[in-house]
Amino acid sequence: MKENGFSTHQLREKCGVDSKTIRRLRANDNMETKTLNKLCTVLDCRLEDIAEYIPDEQ
C-alpha cells in the first residue's frame, strides 16, 4: 500500500472494505477472495504481490 501511496483510509474508500478487514490484513488473517480481488484492482498489482500461500501444518 505504501509503495502505491495509499493510506488505509483511502483503501477503505476505494475498495469499499471496512476497518475490520483492514485489521485482518494487518494481522495476516484470512481474507475472502473478493476482497483480495478488490485490493489488486485498486492497487494495480497481482495477487502474489499482496498474498502468500502458506500450507497448514499437519
Side-chain angles (χ1 to χ4, degrees), residues 5-57:
F6 277 93
S7 69
T8 55
H9 176 73
Q10 290 171 316
L11 194 63
R12 285 195 313 260
E13 287 190 3
K14 290 189 183 269
C15 284
V17 296
D18 58 15
S19 57
K20 180 180 174 182
T21 302
I22 299 296
R23 283 193 301 271
R24 293 178 78 159
L25 281 168
R26 288 184 172 158
N28 291 323
D29 206 353
N30 294 328
M31 285 284 120
E32 292 184 5
T33 54
K34 68 179 183 179
T35 301
L36 293 172
N37 186 52
K38 287 179 185 179
L39 291 170
C40 287
T41 300
V42 169
L43 296 173
D44 190 28
C45 66
R46 297 175 53 150
L47 180 58
E48 51 272 7
D49 294 333
I50 62 170
E52 177 184 7
Y53 172 72
I54 301 173
D56 292 334
E57 292 183 27

